[in-house]
Amino acid sequence: MSESSYIESTKEAMNKAYVPYSNYPVGALIVTKNGNTYSGCNVENASYPLGNCAEAAAIASMVLAGERNIKMIYVMSQNDQGGCPCGGCRQRLREFSDIDTQVILCSPSGVQQRLLLTDLLPNSFGPEHLL
Ligand code: THU
């Protein structure tokens, strides 16, 4: 699949977000090392802390399908800087990432910034620390 179709799918996910409290829709699309894609959107709740981030939804979908290796993730919000993973989601992504995993911040008009997860979460704690 081309990057433009990944971006289109990320936008479709963002447009499904349930965000009556923040009005801040986020879409995420994971591309795994196998080349498959898994999307997610944020889903809020009247009990505010129970809302889920878009990245968490995409990770859950990936894991449910039996995959665990993130090649890249597109994150889209409606602002000009693009979607930016929160601290908690950086750690969630870390669980299924390696030193090459890319995080691509997008606005509706396209890619705004290409980063590595290691840029967003340097010196991170991960599964290997528990061995
Ligand atoms: N949000 C995400 O979905 N992902 C992030 O990484 C940042 C924040 C959501 C949570 C909440 O529904 C809204 O954005 C505002 O914080």
Side-chain angles (χ1 to χ4, degrees):
M1 260 169 88
S2 65
E3 180 159 77
S4 61
S5 58
Y6 290 147
I7 292 169
E8 202 46 46
S9 298
T10 310
K11 192 182 294 182
E12 276 174 29
M14 181 183 74
N15 288 337
K16 289 182 179 148
Y18 174 72
V19 290
Y21 308 106
S22 71
N23 282 314
Y24 185 81
V26 181
L29 182 90
I30 290 171
V31 183
T32 62
K33 299 226 162 174
N34 290 335
N36 297 314
T37 59
Y38 302 94
S39 58
C41 62
N42 50 339
V43 178
E44 299 183 345
N45 193 281
S47 179
Y48 296 169
L50 296 181
N52 286 331
C53 285
E55 298 91 324
I59 289 169
S61 175
M62 173 188 75
V63 171
L64 185 62
E67 292 208 63
R68 296 179 176 177
N69 298 113
I70 300 174
K71 180 179 178 197
M72 51 192 173
I73 179 167
Y74 291 83
V75 183
M76 186 182 291
S77 71
Q78 286 178 327
N79 63 35
D80 292 340
Q81 307 96 301
C84 185
C86 71
C89 283
R90 294 175 193 203
Q91 187 68 44
R92 289 187 179 100
L93 293 167
R94 165 65 171 85
E95 187 74 17
F96 302 104
S97 295
D98 62 24
I99 53 165
D100 298 322
T101 298
Q102 299 168 58
V103 181
I104 301 163
L105 313 187
C106 300
S107 72
S109 60
V111 172
Q112 299 303 323
Q113 211 174 344
R114 293 178 198 274
L115 298 165
L116 295 172
L117 184 65
T118 54
D119 297 328
L120 290 169
L121 196 68
N123 296 319
S124 63
F125 176 77
E128 66 277 10
H129 290 101
L130 298 174
L131 299 176

